[in-house]
Amino acid sequence: MTAPLPYVGRFAPSPSGPLHLGSVVAALASYLDARSRAGRWLVRIEDIDTPRTVAGAEATILRQLEALGMRADGPIWRQSSEARQQRYRELFRRWRDQGQVYGCACTRRELQQVPVNASGERPYPGTCRNGLPYGRQARSWRLRVPDDRVVRFHDRWAGPQHQHVALEVGDFVVRRADGLFAYQLAVVADDVDQGITDIVRGADLLSSTARQFVLWDLLQASRPRVMHVPLICTDDGRKLSKQNGAPAIDETRPVSTLMAAWQALGFAAMDVASVSDFHGQAMIRWQQRFGDGHEAGHSDP
Ligand code: GLU
């Protein structure tokens, strides 16, 4: 029997604005899970989508995490760095040369014709899978998803999951029409290269997990355990986000922010004197609730 890998978790914010309460919930859950396993906790700045990067947001996020008592155990990775871009290029070229990735000429408008399915996706109809239509040029690049692939996994919060990626999502974009690498490619390349064993993040990414596992499998990497924690919603039921005007957290009141995030995760309020007191108590409770989840199956039976 091989020994289990030592725990490595991460928080991967996009620097499109300061942290709001919803992002603190994801940060806190990933931090507590790592700490309660005596694991490492990394911070990665997901600035792959350069048009959405806001100047100064990264510095603000790092300062906010510091104020909340969450410190990364290793150097901060940035997706925009030359080293990472080189790695994405290398993977992209390898997959393209092997025929795993193909050029797609379809425009956004053409793809809007496909109806949205029960999973909230417009599955790619495969138009360019066997070659570009005559006279058309590649705009984006898609991964050829194996036709028979039902991805099954256990989510430590949401329970058993499965997705027939080819039918429900179809061949998905790994390089966008503007030339940028897609989030799905970058996030998997980074998680694999950083040796991430545990992904704890917001529930909005639960539906991306199966397609990410297709990439983990392609890289022959051992899939991580996953946990998708609840999102904070606005009064009209939308995910609280920078786009819909979520306020930045108040850095002068870190304990109240941590407590609000803690309660959003379904825990009872605690009487705490300081940020470190909060983390000490929260870690014990987290461990009591999720400690056994560590061994929850995450394989594809
Ligand atoms: N960068 C993504 C976000 O800010 C999170 C990606 C992930 O945790 O996999 O929503």
Side-chain angles (χ1 to χ4, degrees), residues 5 19-20 23 41-42 70 72 118 136 158 170 177 190 192 229 232 239 247 281:
L5 292 173
L19 295 181
H20 53 77
S23 27
W41 184 73
L42 304 177
M70 296 188 261
R136 302 278 302 267
D190 293 348
V192 169
V229 297
I232 303 226
K239 175 198 168 191
Q281 293 197 42

Side-chain angles (χ1 to χ4, degrees), residues 10 12-14 46 183 187 201 205:
R10 65 8 171 232
S14 307
E46 298 213 317
Y183 157 71
V187 78
R201 60 185 175 188
L205 292 164

Side-chain angles (χ1 to χ4, degrees), residues 117 119 123 145-152 162-170 210:
N117 63 17
S119 326
V145 174
D147 289 333
D148 55 350
R149 179 62 59 87
V150 178
V151 175
R152 293 177 200 283
H162 67 274
Q163 189 177 53
H164 192 311
V165 182
L167 282 184
E168 294 177 54
V169 180

Side-chain angles (χ1 to χ4, degrees), residues 54-81:
V54 170
E58 174 187 324
T60 305
I61 290 171
L62 296 177
R63 198 187 60 230
Q64 290 173 314
L65 288 174
E66 180 75 30
L68 296 169
M70 296 188 261
R71 270 169 226 103
D73 293 315
I76 310 267
W77 280 29
R78 288 175 190 81
Q79 293 182 326
S80 61
S81 68

